[in-house]
Amino acid sequence: MEDTLAPPFLVALNLTRRCNLNCAHCYLDAGTRESDDSNELTTAEVKNLLDDIVRLSDETMVVFTGGEPLLRADLTELIAYASNLGLMAVLGTNGMALNDRRVMALKEAGLQGAGISLDSLDAAAHDDFRGLPGSWIRAQAAIDACRRNDLRFQIHFSVTDDNAHELDDMISYARDVGAFVLNIFFLVCTGRGEEVTNISSETYDRVLRRVTQAARQETDIMIRAKCAPHFKRMAWELDPDWPITTAHGYEDGGCLAGTRYCRVTPDGGVTACPYMEEKVGSVRENSFATIWRDAPQFQALRQPVLEGRCGACEYSKICGGCRARPMARDGALMGEDFLCAYQPQGGAVIEPLSAVGSALSWTPEAEEWLTRIPAFVRRFVRQKAEEHVRASNGREVTGDVMSALAKTASRRLGGQRPVMEGPER
């Protein structure tokens, strides 16, 4: 029987629990630099895992994270291995150890980008949140190192009641320093974060609406909501024809847990997302592909039977709520997402645009463009090209469309060589 199960868009590899910070919100409850690392996946085990991931798809993005991944002595070797397989390797870091030398070495190994955590433009507030004086200065130095060495970087902003007022300033800051993406994370209270006041429903709704507006308006930077699937509903309310409302996509704010995304813990456990602590298997006992295909929890997430307001909501197919929140609080995987204030209106379930829109055709020249794009970004380029054509009521992706997108990408990268390069003429 043909296996039609979609491969993961994204796999997060928590390489270590060791960390050089003491963040109050850490979902992994990461330890100090001196913490015991004897049970971490070895270099060979991580490479075997990467081999297994690429057998499912060479278009998967792999996030090397932690703890603090820069504390792994073999990080550069692992990134080079992933890159040589054709996977898109990116780094999630607090920036404490990211200097010019490390950036250059990681970029040479094939690193495609770095996500750097910055939780306030007030140095003291960031340092307090991260548990170490001077961490704000080090994060700024990491951003500068990425800029000097032409490594694309994202800024990761974890929003709470305490820093929500900084959102607009953070958007301006991220744009001004040349960040490629600003990711706004909405915390789920797990791990050490169980002790942290998260965010009120009122603040959540207000901030997420502003994030949605900014994502629609900004042209110089991508703005994305993380762990906030209600972004999809707000995007639909803002503009039903906005291509970002099409079903599920990594860039588009919806929850991918167990459907197109999962996490591997430092000791090889597999979970649907970092905020779901229940391990559905171990790569030390079964192949990643087997776990991805057969884990009962993942199968349930792919065919959800939602309860409460989520089950009655007309946005259930394009949002579906966060599954980690009711799981963390009540042990109910399909329970309603209590952080969402929306009350279902009793209307028909809204179908994602991709399910009702007409298929687009690709000219031979446009297809040739795709063949010359690295496999790990091909999916994203295809998605953006089709969004562009649909937005102009077109029916066909042409070489001219791909050429125009390549020029736009080049401008966004400040003149750097884009990943989209057209057929030789």
Side-chain angles (χ1 to χ4, degrees), residues 130-173:
R130 292 283 161 179
L132 184 71
S135 59
W136 189 88
I137 291 292
R138 300 283 286 275
Q140 295 294 328
I143 290 170
D144 289 340
C146 290
R147 295 172 66 187
R148 281 191 296 269
N149 295 284
D150 293 329
L151 178 66
R152 278 175 289 184
F153 65 93
Q154 306 177 359
I155 290 177
H156 294 171
F157 177 52
S158 295
V159 64
T160 68
D161 281 335
D162 294 328
N163 64 2
H165 65 281
E166 294 192 59
L167 176 60
D168 282 330
D169 288 340
M170 188 63 75
I171 292 171
S172 297
Y173 169 85

Side-chain angles (χ1 to χ4, degrees), residues 246-306:
T246 57
H248 300 294
Y250 172 58
E251 298 184 34
D252 299 342
C255 178
L256 303 180
T259 61
R260 303 305 300 275
Y261 167 61
C262 69
R263 180 268 297 253
V264 180
T265 66
D267 61 356
V270 179
T271 73
C273 84
Y275 298 116
M276 291 189 190
E277 298 176 315
E278 178 186 347
K279 296 178 182 179
V280 300
S282 170
V283 297
R284 282 175 164 160
E285 299 172 3
N286 295 104
S287 73
F288 176 83
T290 297
I291 297 170
W292 177 256
R293 182 184 65 242
D294 296 339
Q297 185 188 83
F298 287 9
Q299 292 178 345
L301 288 166
R302 290 161 191 159
Q303 295 182 321
V305 182
L306 302 175

Side-chain angles (χ1 to χ4, degrees), residues 26 42 77 97 116 185-186 216-217 260 374:
C26 182
T42 66
E77 179 182 353
I116 300 170
F185 285 84
F186 294 83
R216 188 75 172 100
Q217 296 167 354
R260 303 305 300 275

Side-chain angles (χ1 to χ4, degrees), residues 202-267:
E202 294 77 17
T203 303
Y204 175 81
D205 188 85
R206 173 173 52 82
V207 170
L208 190 55
R209 287 190 183 280
R210 176 65 189 115
V211 170
T212 306
Q213 293 168 352
R216 188 75 172 100
Q217 296 167 354
E218 290 290 333
T219 58
D220 296 328
I221 185 173
M222 294 175 63
I223 296 178
R224 302 190 297 210
K226 296 298 179 183
C227 302
H230 316 105
F231 171 90
K232 292 282 194 174
R233 168 175 58 82
M234 294 182 182
W236 186 282
E237 292 171 343
L238 186 63
D239 179 3
D241 296 322
W242 185 10
I244 208 168
T245 62
T246 57
H248 300 294
Y250 172 58
E251 298 184 34
D252 299 342
C255 178
L256 303 180
T259 61
R260 303 305 300 275
Y261 167 61
C262 69
R263 180 268 297 253
V264 180
T265 66
D267 61 356

